[in-house]
Amino acid sequence: MHIKDLLHQKDEKIVYFLRHHWIVYVYPAVVALMMALLPLVGSILIQQSRLQISSILSGVLTIALSVYYLLVWLFLFSAFLASYLDVWVLTTHRIVYIEQHSLFSRTIAEQPLFRVQDVTSDVKGVLSTFLGYGNIRVQTAGASEQFEF
């Protein structure tokens, strides 16, 4: 789906387009890095113990390690994709929130601007102040009472 497809009315224009702050990607990257280093630590421990590994076991370990690293990449890719495809769009007529749950599952919620009752922003902590991120809560009169950016 293209963002321009969200525009329903002829005079509707995109005012603001927002994605997650880059800090959201740091935690999955650190976890993936730690998961990637884990087999290396195991390899060093096996070499230190001077265990002799047969060629069959070596082949099985190579395949298992390849599958393990493939799963680490899959974890990193799915974490990135879920965050990157979450989008908030403010148009001249409404607010649209697209939340990606998994690769083939997403929710699209929208509220007309005339239903907006209150807007509140939160910036908590030193890190969020210096890096310029926080939360914006939009209180509406619709069925979904609150949007959070």
Side-chain angles (χ1 to χ4, degrees), residues 20-57:
H20 286 286
H21 192 270
W22 63 266
I23 197 79
V24 172
Y25 306 113
V26 171
Y27 178 73
V30 168
V31 170
L33 181 65
M34 289 174 33
M35 289 170 61
L37 292 176
L38 192 62
L40 297 176
V41 171
S43 170
I44 291 171
L45 291 176
I46 288 174
Q47 287 177 356
Q48 292 295 328
S49 67
R50 293 189 174 95
L51 287 174
Q52 295 297 325
I53 299 175
S54 69
S55 62
I56 294 174
L57 185 58

Side-chain angles (χ1 to χ4, degrees), residues 1 6 28 42 45 65 102 110 113-114 121 139 141-142:
M1 172 188 290
L6 294 172
L45 291 176
L65 192 62
S102 65
E110 61 181 69
L113 287 181
F114 68 84
S121 67
Q139 188 76 29

Side-chain angles (χ1 to χ4, degrees), residues 2-10 12-14 89 91-92 94:
H2 195 270
I3 298 301
K4 298 283 185 187
D5 297 336
L6 294 172
L7 303 177
H8 293 304
Q9 299 175 5
K10 193 181 262 188
E12 188 174 20
K13 292 184 174 77
I14 295 176
V89 181
T91 70
T92 52
R94 60 205 165 100

Side-chain angles (χ1 to χ4, degrees), residues 32 34-39 63-73:
M34 289 174 33
M35 289 170 61
L37 292 176
L38 192 62
I63 291 172
L65 192 62
S66 298
V67 169
Y68 178 77
Y69 278 122
L70 196 65
L71 291 174
V72 169
W73 274 111

Side-chain angles (χ1 to χ4, degrees), residues 98-124:
I98 303 171
E99 181 180 12
Q100 192 76 26
H101 300 291
S102 65
L103 191 57
F104 299 107
S105 173
R106 71 173 160 222
T107 302
I108 300 175
E110 61 181 69
Q111 284 294 332
L113 287 181
F114 68 84
R115 287 195 179 151
V116 172
Q117 293 178 335
D118 184 37
V119 178
T120 307
S121 67
D122 264 345
V123 177
K124 294 181 181 178

Side-chain angles (χ1 to χ4, degrees), residues 80-96:
F80 169 75
L81 204 61
S83 295
Y84 185 75
L85 294 178
D86 284 353
V87 175
W88 295 269
V89 181
L90 176 65
T91 70
T92 52
H93 296 287
R94 60 205 165 100
I95 300 171
V96 181

